[in-house]
Amino acid sequence: MMKKRIILPLLFVVCCTIFAEQNLYSIQTTIGIMSREVHEYAYQGDSVISRLDWNETTTPFFGINGSVLVNSFLLSINLESAVALKSGSLQDFDFSTSYGGVISQYSQHELYLDKDFSIAGNIKYVVNLASFSLLPKVGYAYRNVKLSAQDGYLQYPESGVWDPDAEKTYVQGTLISYEQVIYYPYLGLDINWILSCRFALTFITSYGFNVCIDSVDSHYSRALRFCDSMRGGHRFTIGVCGQFKLSYFSRTLLLFGCEYINMPLVRGTTSSGVIGVSDTGPQIDKGYGSGVLRAL
């Protein structure tokens, strides 16, 4: 494992929500913009031999949330999906174990989001305290994301040591695809602060534990597919949301908010196999491992 554990932001969301509320239930629709990073690692022993930096920018998303209040318990389910489009870039680094871990090869490609779907459900217990409400919660979340890298260029110097000024070989088509499934339980606390009869603020916190990540990394130019399995991760979320009631008697609210999500490095096992017809499936690569530091 790398001696230095790196922590980077995973997801930053700014959203606008229209909220239709009744006494016992509510339906909430959301549109927003997010940016995120996924850092994918390959290890040989404790040495990093490859790193892929998926940098996604300004991707629009939409969602719907339904909630039902039963006594003091609020049951909620949330669905979200992002718009598939070109957004950002991929940087691919290979490191040489013969030269003390220096960068030996480099490539850069255009990033495309192929799909992004998530579903989460939780139960909150509502505690009303004057102008504040405390909502401790427990829930479970699932997300499936697929990214692909297209076109771009390669820099594979014969010297075995990468130079940013090295000759570029331009390529076309889909070179790499990366699909990730992540699922985990979480605990959290929301604090609702009523500032007036028409305006309130909600502060959001959650902690995801025992995070499980399964990924498939396909390198089409090499006709190889790598399947990674990582367990025992942690995921932290903080956010704030403003709620504005359109009129005193209205049951429709307009919400504006943002979230920041962080997940430290998670390591696991990797297996590999060829893309296409094969007599065997992916085989465990002994002595090698995987890791992901994600910004989703």
Side-chain angles (χ1 to χ4, degrees):
M1 181 181 293
M2 298 174 62
K3 303 247 190 240
K4 182 178 180 183
R5 288 178 66 87
I6 305 172
I7 300 177
L8 291 179
L10 290 188
L11 176 65
F12 182 74
V13 176
V14 179
C15 65
C16 169
T17 301
I18 298 175
F19 184 82
E21 182 185 39
Q22 299 295 330
N23 290 332
L24 298 178
Y25 68 90
S26 66
I27 298 175
Q28 173 180 323
T29 58
T30 304
I31 57 174
I33 297 292
M34 65 180 171
S35 64
R36 58 185 167 191
E37 301 172 357
V38 178
H39 302 280
E40 179 190 357
Y41 295 87
Y43 294 87
Q44 183 177 11
D46 288 333
S47 301
V48 177
I49 58 174
S50 177
R51 188 184 85 229
L52 281 75
D53 294 343
W54 301 85
N55 301 302
E56 186 180 352
T57 59
T58 57
T59 300
F61 73 93
F62 55 92
I64 186 169
N65 176 279
S67 299
V68 177
L69 182 64
V70 181
N71 294 325
S72 295
F73 292 92
L74 185 65
L75 288 68
S76 300
I77 186 167
N78 186 71
L79 302 174
E80 282 186 3
S81 183
V83 178
L85 44 64
K86 173 185 172 182
S87 177
S89 64
L90 165 70
Q91 293 180 294
D92 185 357
F93 301 86
D94 290 332
F95 299 89
S96 171
T97 56
S98 303
Y99 293 94
V102 299
I103 300 172
S104 59
Q105 297 179 338
Y106 172 81
S107 67
Q108 183 171 315
H109 311 279
E110 296 176 346
L111 184 154
Y112 286 78
L113 173 65
D114 297 325
K115 65 176 178 179
D116 183 352
F117 170 78
S118 67
I119 181 171
N122 63 59
I123 300 175
K124 301 176 183 177
Y125 184 74
V126 182
V127 180
N128 294 313
L129 302 171
S131 60
F132 288 88
S133 294
L134 303 180
L135 295 90
K137 60 187 176 184
V138 57
Y140 199 87
Y142 169 93
R143 193 176 200 120
N144 180 205
V145 179
K146 186 177 182 182
L147 308 170
S148 63
Q150 301 182 23
D151 305 334
Y153 64 87
L154 317 174
Q155 289 181 308
Y156 292 176
E158 295 182 0
S159 65
V161 178
W162 174 62
D163 182 346
D165 297 323
E167 181 181 357
K168 297 177 181 178
T169 301
Y170 290 90
V171 292
Q172 292 184 336
T174 300
L175 281 300
I176 302 172
S177 73
Y178 182 69
E179 183 169 6
Q180 185 183 91
V181 173
I182 176 171
Y183 47 97
Y184 56 93
Y186 64 90
L187 302 172
L189 175 66
D190 296 348
I191 302 174
N192 190 36
W193 182 17
I194 301 173
L195 298 175
S196 71
C197 60
R198 296 179 61 186
F199 186 72
L201 286 175
T202 300
F203 301 93
I204 303 164
T205 63
S206 72
Y207 165 62
F209 55 96
N210 195 28
V211 176
C212 299
I213 303 172
D214 296 311
S215 64
V216 177
D217 184 7
S218 301
H219 292 248
Y220 298 108
S221 61
R222 300 162 58 192
L224 287 176
R225 176 168 295 167
F226 301 91
C227 301
D228 302 328
S229 178
M230 291 150 281
R231 298 292 184 267
H234 305 274
R235 184 178 172 93
F236 305 92
T237 302
I238 59 173
V240 62
C241 180
Q243 307 173 25
F244 179 74
K245 186 178 290 189
L246 298 183
S247 69
Y248 182 81
F249 297 102
S250 174
R251 292 186 179 275
T252 300
L253 304 179
L254 187 64
L255 282 71
F256 294 91
C258 62
E259 279 187 356
Y260 171 84
I261 300 174
N262 189 302
M263 194 182 78
L265 180 67
V266 184
R267 288 195 59 177
T269 60
T270 187
S271 57
S272 62
V274 299
I275 297 175
V277 178
S278 175
D279 294 333
T280 61
Q283 303 295 308
I284 294 292
D285 296 325
K286 296 181 179 179
Y288 293 84
S290 60
V292 65
L293 178 71
R294 67 174 297 235
L296 297 176

